[in-house]
Amino acid sequence: MTALFARHGFPLAIGAVAAGFLGLFFLYPVFSVFGASLLDPAGTAFTLRNYAVVLSSPFFLQALGNSLVLAAAATAFAIVLGVPFAFCVARLPIAGKSVLLALAALPLVLPSFVSAYALVLMFGRAGIVTGALRAAGLPFDSIYGLKGIIVTYTLTLYPYVVLPAVAAFKSIDASVEEAAQNLGAPRARTLRTVIMPLALPSILAGGLLVFIEALENFGVPFVLAEDKPILAVEAFKLFVGETADNPAAAGVLGVLLIACTLVALLAQRAMLARRRYATMARTPAPLLVVSPAVRRLAGIYCWGLVGAALVPFAAVVAISFLAFKGPVLQYAFSLGNFAELFGRSYRPLVNTLMLSIAAAAGATLIGVPIGYVIVRRRSRLSAALDAVATAPFAVAGTVLGIGLILAFGHGYLILTGTALIMIVAYVVRKLPFSVRAASAILHQIDPSLEEASINLGVAPLQTFLRVTVPLMLGGIVGGSVLVFVTVASELSSTVVLYSGPWTTMTVTMFQALEGTSAGVAAAAATVLIIVTILPVALVYRLLRRYELSAA
């Protein structure tokens, strides 16, 4: 009986702690937003009038429509560009595939609103490229508006489609294609009727991530939308401008954002439930034999797409070393932007690093045990825990920030105005990264190693720490770095929760963009890029050394 309790008590304890954390800091704030939407402005009486007011307002309906159009368009373009890219990398003999994939994934860890600001510097009304086009007699207005937001989303989010699609194309059983070819199907028809349908679940999974990220993004619309209302931005504006005790209208917009993501998730599942996609996957499909011309075209396309996605980030770094006179760019080398940025205070950079490290540590300490329970103790409870642990990805940062303030702005546990509420928000928002990284690496570790340790009398907790965790090290470090870099560039929840002493680099850039400090914004953007790239490069190098020494 004692042995049975020791074996099952450890995962139960993990599940209980994880459920308590997520219940208190995720579900409770989300339900607080829902509750706020159903109360009058005084917060004392139940009412549906808030929904009637918002849903009858042409302005808010336009915001909802714009948000859905942006998310749908970004998803469509990301799929249109990402799927051919993934197929070329997975099935065609292109040089430098590992470098190509690494560069393709970079936009996921670089701040998307930095890319938006770079496009403004290049294609804004006074942008460098805009001026050159006008000088050449070519009519060009600017990048502002829905078109600019769609371009930014497409270039920064297409890797969400690429990464799972590459894995899907590589895992299709060669016998499936051979059967189609033996029946006389041309290569193009095999691609259309066999390969693409089998890869559809992965493509739709990536597309769903693009849709959710585009729907809840705050920074890119803030930079590029101008007078176009966007749901996530309007929810923030309503909340900070609320004078009543209960932010009812902001709560309604928050509920609408969550509802849209749920509808998208249900639609994806409905599409996938219509047919089966599994194959035996005994022999991965080989690279296709193509002509040199096709190989060159595929290489040009892939490297061109990667270059287009990374050019804005390179441009903002270059521009940050040029002089600005107010918002006007002067074509002269200068370190004045950085001097002004750090002359104000080093505190935002220190805060960014401290909060990112704390959030990465917190997400790892909570997410790794959750991933362990999900993989090693399959049950209805672990499935429910998995669903709740990954749900924060579908909740907009602004909505979670509003919920945390509603939940912990009064009562026995007051966290507003502290660094702790920001860390909690980051851990909750980025927890899916740690959970997925841990569960992915655990699938590759034979459970018999842990069973042997327990059978020799080692307690489950000690087995987990001494046997399982060292074997999971690569996945744990990868997940931690991903949390660190995404927290460093986090804006949507930060802008709602930060207080004066805890200003971050993203907030500094946000404030600079609100004013006329274009040079400071460019310098802050460059610092953010460095802060996000350096850890990724360092850890990649360390892991490569570890793999080579282990080999």
Side-chain angles (χ1 to χ4, degrees):
M1 186 70 179
T2 304
L4 182 65
F5 176 78
R7 184 180 291 268
H8 296 283
F10 175 58
L12 286 175
I14 292 174
V17 172
F21 175 83
L22 290 168
L24 181 62
F25 294 116
F26 175 60
L27 295 179
Y28 176 38
V30 169
F31 283 118
S32 295
V33 173
F34 181 68
S37 71
L38 296 173
L39 296 176
D40 62 7
T44 57
F46 173 82
T47 180
L48 293 176
R49 186 174 181 275
N50 303 323
Y51 285 90
V53 171
V54 169
L55 295 177
S56 63
S57 166
F59 179 81
F60 290 124
L61 289 178
Q62 184 183 4
L64 176 61
N66 287 341
S67 298
L68 292 175
V69 167
L70 287 172
T75 303
F77 282 115
I79 290 175
V80 168
L81 294 177
V83 171
F85 181 100
F87 183 80
C88 291
V89 170
R91 300 300 307 278
L92 297 183
I94 301 176
K97 288 186 180 182
S98 58
V99 176
L100 193 61
L101 271 179
L103 293 176
L106 266 184
L108 295 182
V109 298
L110 293 171
S112 59
F113 69 97
V114 169
S115 178
Y117 180 57
L119 289 177
V120 169
L121 293 175
M122 291 190 295
F123 297 98
R125 293 188 179 88
I128 299 172
V129 179
T130 302
L133 291 174
R134 289 173 179 170
L138 300 174
F140 182 79
D141 182 18
S142 72
I143 198 69
Y144 289 106
L146 299 185
K147 61 180 181 296
I149 299 175
I150 292 172
V151 169
T152 305
Y153 283 160
T154 302
L155 293 179
T156 56
L157 300 179
Y158 82 94
Y160 277 127
V161 175
V162 167
L163 298 179
V166 167
F169 287 131
K170 286 184 176 180
S171 64
I172 294 175
D173 193 350
S175 63
V176 176
E177 296 181 39
E178 292 169 0
Q181 293 168 4
N182 291 337
L183 291 172
R187 181 179 289 178
R189 185 176 180 183
T190 301
L191 175 63
R192 187 180 71 254
T193 61
V194 177
I195 297 176
M196 294 303 295
L198 289 174
L200 187 61
S202 296
I203 295 171
L204 290 180
L208 179 65
L209 294 177
V210 174
F211 184 90
I212 292 173
E213 185 71 20
L215 190 66
E216 65 93 16
N217 192 288
F218 172 84
V220 174
F222 172 79
V223 175
L224 292 172
E226 280 199 321
D227 59 341
K228 302 291 184 182
I230 307 297
L231 215 55
V233 178
E234 297 308 321
F236 167 75
K237 290 180 179 178
L238 282 175
F239 181 73
V240 297
E242 189 67 65
T243 57
D245 292 335
N246 180 54
V252 172
L253 295 190
V255 171
L256 288 178
L257 278 170
I258 295 173
C260 290
T261 58
L262 290 176
V263 169
L265 177 61
L266 293 174
Q268 182 222 27
R269 291 191 174 182
M271 292 178 66
L272 295 180
R274 295 176 183 174
R275 55 183 296 180
R276 295 180 61 189
Y277 298 88
T279 64
M280 296 300 292
R282 292 171 298 186
T283 306
L287 295 178
L288 297 177
V289 179
V290 295
S291 65
V294 172
R295 188 165 62 248
R296 282 193 294 270
L297 286 175
I300 291 171
Y301 172 77
C302 292
W303 285 103
L305 181 57
V306 168
L310 296 180
V311 158
F313 296 102
V316 79
V317 172
I319 290 172
S320 68
F321 288 96
L322 298 179
F324 278 82
K325 190 174 182 180
V328 181
L329 178 65
Q330 309 289 314
Y331 294 96
F333 177 80
S334 173
L335 296 176
N337 299 323
F338 294 93
E340 185 178 354
L341 172 66
F342 293 115
R344 297 178 179 181
S345 175
Y346 283 94
R347 189 69 191 177
L349 178 58
V350 174
N351 289 342
T352 298
L353 296 175
M354 289 174 56
L355 294 172
S356 299
I357 292 171
T364 301
L365 289 174
I366 297 171
V368 171
I370 291 176
Y372 176 82
V373 171
I374 291 170
V375 175
R376 292 292 191 252
R377 297 291 186 271
R378 296 181 181 274
S379 66
R380 291 182 180 178
L381 291 177
S382 63
L385 181 62
D386 186 16
V388 176
T390 53
F393 190 83
V395 177
T398 49
V399 176
L400 181 61
I402 292 170
L404 286 169
I405 291 178
L406 291 175
F408 302 107
H410 55 81
Y412 295 103
L413 184 59
I414 299 177
L415 300 177
T416 52
T418 68
L420 184 57
I421 196 170
M422 299 173 69
I423 294 172
V424 166
Y426 297 150
V427 170
V428 170
R429 288 261 294 155
K430 310 306 177 182
L431 190 62
F433 293 140
S434 291
V435 172
R436 285 288 157 248
S439 58
I441 198 70
L442 269 170
H443 281 295
Q444 302 175 20
I445 299 173
D446 193 336
S448 63
L449 297 172
E450 301 160 42
E451 293 169 0
S453 175
I454 294 174
N455 291 335
L456 290 172
V458 181
L461 176 58
Q462 291 182 339
T463 297
F464 175 72
L465 295 175
R466 295 181 180 180
V467 177
T468 311
V469 169
L471 293 173
M472 296 171 62
L473 188 59
I476 292 173
V477 172
S480 300
V481 170
L482 188 55
V483 172
F484 177 90
V485 297
T486 52
V487 168
S489 60
E490 170 73 18
L491 177 63
S492 56
S493 59
T494 305
V495 77
V496 177
L497 295 171
Y498 86 97
S499 57
W502 293 104
T503 300
T504 64
M505 290 302 298
T506 55
V507 174
T508 298
M509 185 176 172
F510 174 79
Q511 293 170 339
L513 291 175
E514 277 190 313
T516 57
S517 303
V520 173
T526 297
V527 173
L528 279 174
I529 292 172
I530 295 172
V531 167
T532 52
I533 285 182
L534 278 182
V536 174
L538 178 62
V539 169
Y540 176 78
R541 182 163 183 164
L542 290 175
L543 288 179
R544 286 287 295 171
R545 285 185 179 179
Y546 176 77
E547 291 171 358
L548 291 173
S549 62

